[in-house]
Amino acid sequence: MNKKEPILDVKNISMHFGGLKAVDKLSLQVYPDEIVALIGPNGAGKTTFFNCITGIYEPTLGDVFVLRDGKKRRLNGLKPNKVTELGLARTFQNIRIFSNMTVLENVMVGRHCRTKSWVIGAILRDKKTRQEEIETIEYSYNLLEKLDLHKFANEMAKNLPYGAQKKLEIARALATDPVLLLLDEPAAGLNPQETSELKDIINKIKEEEKISILLIEHDMKLVMNISDRVYVMESGRLLAQGTPREISQNPEVIKAYLGEEHA
């Protein structure tokens, strides 16, 4: 049993769309220095769950709490930008980068929630504003170096290979200085070499940046190799939770993925 307080504490979250219970009384915790995977068949409600905890949807029922700097805050009803300020950053199934901005500018945008200059400062270009801009550029470039994207810094984001665009979205999320990074199918569309690089990046974020990670993923080899714990969803509800070994041997999980004859 983990004696630390969870970074993310989700209690009985439900999300109803009319009569459809897309997420039904789901509880989940992520602790410091932990990689947690959320898996399940297509349509299980995984992305809806992510949307509930990041402010895109307001849950019908339940509570979402985040712990940052020793303070526990309830996220229900907060807008996505406020959720980001409190320490949750995410990527999406379908890449959402600013195609007509440079790679460096994309990461700088992510850093905006941690800057203090007001509009008037940007207009007057005072010393404090210029210094903060220099610091933002340096911080963003360092992130690109850590993800081996610095060679593309001045390229238009739309010109990057698909795998590099995926990494860019992670870099932009990291620029918000999160306590928890949420990755929605980060390995989707990647070739084996890119998936191997992604595994190294995720482990590096946990070990060097000390950021906890919650990911949705269908690549079971990746999930089993990097996760400390795994939650399994089916039809909006929690089917199972445990270590990767426990989950891989769970008959209910095998049945949900492969069908009755394999259970």
Side-chain angles (χ1 to χ4, degrees), residues 213-227:
I213 296 167
L214 174 63
L215 74 153
I216 295 170
E217 187 50 65
H218 286 289
D219 186 326
M220 288 300 100
K221 182 178 179 181
L222 177 64
V223 167
M224 297 303 169
N225 280 336
I226 66 172
S227 303

Side-chain angles (χ1 to χ4, degrees), residues 189-225:
L190 300 184
N191 62 40
Q193 180 180 342
E194 290 169 334
T195 301
S196 178
E197 291 174 0
L198 174 66
K199 181 184 75 171
D200 293 340
I201 287 171
I202 292 173
N203 283 323
K204 187 175 183 179
I205 291 169
K206 172 193 171 184
E207 293 166 8
E208 296 184 12
E209 306 301 320
K210 304 301 180 185
I211 297 172
S212 299
I213 296 167
L214 174 63
L215 74 153
I216 295 170
E217 187 50 65
H218 286 289
D219 186 326
M220 288 300 100
K221 182 178 179 181
L222 177 64
V223 167
M224 297 303 169
N225 280 336

Side-chain angles (χ1 to χ4, degrees), residues 9-10 18 31 46 60-62 66 72-73 79 85 94 128 188 190 194 199 213 216 219 228 242 250 256:
D9 189 6
V10 181
Y31 291 89
K46 303 181 298 295
T60 306
L61 298 167
V66 63
K72 191 173 183 178
R73 295 287 301 273
K79 298 296 184 183
E85 288 177 16
N94 300 314
K128 183 179 179 181
L190 300 184
E194 290 169 334
K199 181 184 75 171
I213 296 167
I216 295 170
D219 186 326
D228 297 298
N250 187 307

